[in-house]
Amino acid sequence: GLKELWEVSKDTYKFFEGVQKKNVEKYDAWKATYAEWKKANADKAKLLEDFAAKKVPSVEEMFKGIPEFDQDKNIATREAGSVVINYISDLVPQFLSGSADLHGSNKNYIKTGGNYGRGFDKSYTGKNFYFGIREHGMGSLMNGIAFHGLFRPSGATFLVFVDYMRATLRVAALAELPVTYILTHDSIGVGEDGPTHQPVETVSSLRTFPNMDVIRPADPEETVGAYVHSQQRMDGPTSLILTRQNVDTLKSIPVKTRREGVLKGAYVAKKESGDLKLILIASGSEVQHAMKAADALGDGVRVVSMPCMDIFDRQPDSYKQEVLPKSCTKRVAMEAGVTSMWYKYVGLDGKVVGVDRFGFSAPGDIVMSELGMTADNLIKECKAYM
């Protein structure tokens, strides 16, 4: 019988002695060649070694390298992303981007990156990939690049189309690949394209993936935090959920608070000035409504911006208690999507103002208003709840 758990014959050992010797000789020759190349190309060698070591700037360095947005200008988070992604490309040279034939709408083009490929205006030094209308292919290619290990790929499409690449997202999460998905047109706010293009269940469905950080930022500064988090992650993918329509820049909240708040998944956007009676929780484009509603509902109302449930759930219990104290059981959440996941945070006695139905074709602001995604409706729902 076998004397070892994995017994290998002497002949096999003998055969591989020669193979090992041959490979050592090849490797030594390669090392000599690399040493010569490194001496002649010190800058490129440092870049290559940094890529291989998976080095990225610190959070502090990245925040410092991305200027603050105009606090008096309201823009869509996809528009904010178009600015942030270019700073990210400079700060993280191994960062790549691409789109499934939607660069103009996703707004994720790296302006100084060049286009990847052969012919026309493309070269193999390009950082922008034209994946074509094939989301599954895009996801597979990004996984392959991430498995290789030198580069940090990202790819974009409309959020509602992410289901075409769902299998590749699952692989990225399972294999702990640092891939970034840039998913724009994030809700019924898409408008005239109608219910086929208005995601209502999609954000929640992404949140069900283990090891997938799903971030839905509320304004440009939260968008900075979202992108920075995606490039700090080494052990899994990040989905960035961005609006088509303009949102309020939350200038009453310090820039530092908004950016760093994303890195904790949730934070107090507006603290009550009196005894705490009600907590409003929201993500993305609904945070602006929660802020306005809190002003109208009185001094006992707190607003919590929760761009990422996954990150918040990983925080210490002390921080979670600081943001959502157990002493306050009166809680209302708001998101332009299906409601079920929010009961984890509001409790069974809480209330969720959401969209548990498909949308309809009309201008985005009309769809939002008709389906209750306004500050006025949130105020009405809170008063009825209280």
Side-chain angles (χ1 to χ4, degrees), residues 161-179:
F161 296 152
V162 78
D163 285 334
Y164 292 123
M165 57 191 289
R166 195 169 181 86
T168 67
L169 272 73
R170 190 174 192 274
V171 170
L174 180 62
E176 301 182 348
L177 301 177
V179 175

Side-chain angles (χ1 to χ4, degrees), residues 235-277:
D235 59 355
T238 304
S239 291
L240 306 179
I241 313 299
L242 307 177
T243 67
R244 176 197 183 193
Q245 75 279 11
N246 290 351
V247 292
D248 288 355
T249 294
L250 305 172
K251 60 183 180 180
S252 64
I253 310 168
V255 170
K256 188 174 188 291
T257 301
R258 279 174 276 166
R259 291 184 175 194
E260 292 182 353
V262 175
L263 304 184
K264 292 187 174 182
Y267 66 97
V268 177
K270 178 180 173 60
K271 189 170 176 60
E272 66 285 358
S273 56
D275 293 337
L276 181 58
K277 297 176 183 176

Side-chain angles (χ1 to χ4, degrees), residues 180-193:
T180 301
Y181 306 102
I182 300 165
L183 306 171
T184 67
H185 297 61
D186 74 332
S187 73
I188 55 174
V190 167
E192 288 90 343
D193 281 344

Side-chain angles (χ1 to χ4, degrees), residues 276-281 300-302 324-333 345-347 349-351 382-386:
L276 181 58
K277 297 176 183 176
L278 174 68
I279 300 175
L280 301 180
I281 314 169
V301 181
R302 171 182 295 193
L324 297 174
K326 293 178 182 178
S327 58
C328 183
T329 58
K330 291 288 187 180
R331 303 177 182 187
V332 177
Y345 304 100
V346 302
D349 293 328
K351 186 176 186 63
C382 287
K383 285 181 176 179
Y385 169 68
M386 294 295 284

Side-chain angles (χ1 to χ4, degrees), residues 59-341:
V59 168
E60 293 75 18
E61 289 169 330
M62 294 182 81
F63 281 157
K64 185 177 179 182
I66 303 174
E68 295 181 8
F69 281 84
D70 182 345
Q71 300 301 298
D72 292 318
K73 187 175 181 181
N74 299 329
I75 60 174
T77 53
R78 65 168 176 147
E79 184 68 40
S82 73
V83 175
V84 177
I85 198 170
N86 282 279
Y87 287 109
I88 291 290
S89 177
D90 291 339
L91 290 162
V92 185
Q94 64 268 48
F95 176 78
L96 307 175
S97 192
S99 178
D101 204 43
L102 287 167
H103 270 121
S105 296
N106 298 143
K107 295 185 179 291
N108 67 312
Y109 190 79
I110 300 171
K111 294 177 182 177
T112 59
N115 300 322
Y116 179 86
R118 184 175 63 182
F120 299 105
D121 61 344
K122 300 174 181 176
S123 75
Y124 292 122
T125 62
K127 297 182 76 173
N128 293 290
F129 285 66
Y130 284 77
F131 290 111
I133 309 173
R134 44 183 182 181
E135 290 82 3
H136 180 82
M138 176 174 74
S140 299
L141 285 163
M142 288 195 293
N143 285 351
I145 292 168
F147 270 122
H148 177 260
L150 288 184
F151 295 95
R152 299 180 62 88
S154 70
T157 186
F158 288 168
L159 173 60
V160 79
F161 296 152
V162 78
D163 285 334
Y164 292 123
M165 57 191 289
R166 195 169 181 86
T168 67
L169 272 73
R170 190 174 192 274
V171 170
L174 180 62
E176 301 182 348
L177 301 177
V179 175
T180 301
Y181 306 102
I182 300 165
L183 306 171
T184 67
H185 297 61
D186 74 332
S187 73
I188 55 174
V190 167
E192 288 90 343
D193 281 344
T196 57
H197 286 54
Q198 295 169 2
V200 290
E201 81 291 357
T202 318
V203 176
S204 285
S205 75
L206 291 177
R207 289 172 178 147
T208 64
F209 278 118
N211 199 38
M212 170 75 76
D213 284 356
V214 181
I215 310 179
R216 188 169 181 252
D219 82 341
E221 301 301 347
E222 282 199 7
T223 304
V224 173
Y227 266 95
V228 168
H229 172 81
S230 75
Q231 295 312 298
Q232 293 294 314
R233 271 206 94 184
M234 300 293 169
D235 59 355
T238 304
S239 291
L240 306 179
I241 313 299
L242 307 177
T243 67
R244 176 197 183 193
Q245 75 279 11
N246 290 351
V247 292
D248 288 355
T249 294
L250 305 172
K251 60 183 180 180
S252 64
I253 310 168
V255 170
K256 188 174 188 291
T257 301
R258 279 174 276 166
R259 291 184 175 194
E260 292 182 353
V262 175
L263 304 184
K264 292 187 174 182
Y267 66 97
V268 177
K270 178 180 173 60
K271 189 170 176 60
E272 66 285 358
S273 56
D275 293 337
L276 181 58
K277 297 176 183 176
L278 174 68
I279 300 175
L280 301 180
I281 314 169
S283 82
S285 53
E286 287 64 68
V287 176
Q288 60 188 343
H289 303 321
M291 296 291 282
K292 291 172 183 173
D295 288 339
L297 291 167
D299 61 7
V301 181
R302 171 182 295 193
V303 177
V304 170
S305 175
M306 188 177 285
C308 186
M309 295 178 177
D310 316 87
I311 301 173
F312 182 68
D313 288 349
R314 295 197 295 267
Q315 299 307 304
D317 288 341
S318 58
Y319 180 75
K320 288 188 274 191
Q321 174 69 11
E322 181 184 323
V323 176
L324 297 174
K326 293 178 182 178
S327 58
C328 183
T329 58
K330 291 288 187 180
R331 303 177 182 187
V332 177
M334 186 185 206
E335 184 175 62
V338 295
T339 59
S340 56
M341 276 200 163

Side-chain angles (χ1 to χ4, degrees), residues 33-51:
T33 301
Y34 180 75
E36 290 179 12
W37 176 82
K38 181 177 179 179
K39 188 175 180 180
N41 300 274
D43 291 345
K44 290 180 180 178
K46 184 183 184 308
L47 208 57
L48 177 59
E49 290 172 0
D50 284 351
F51 287 10

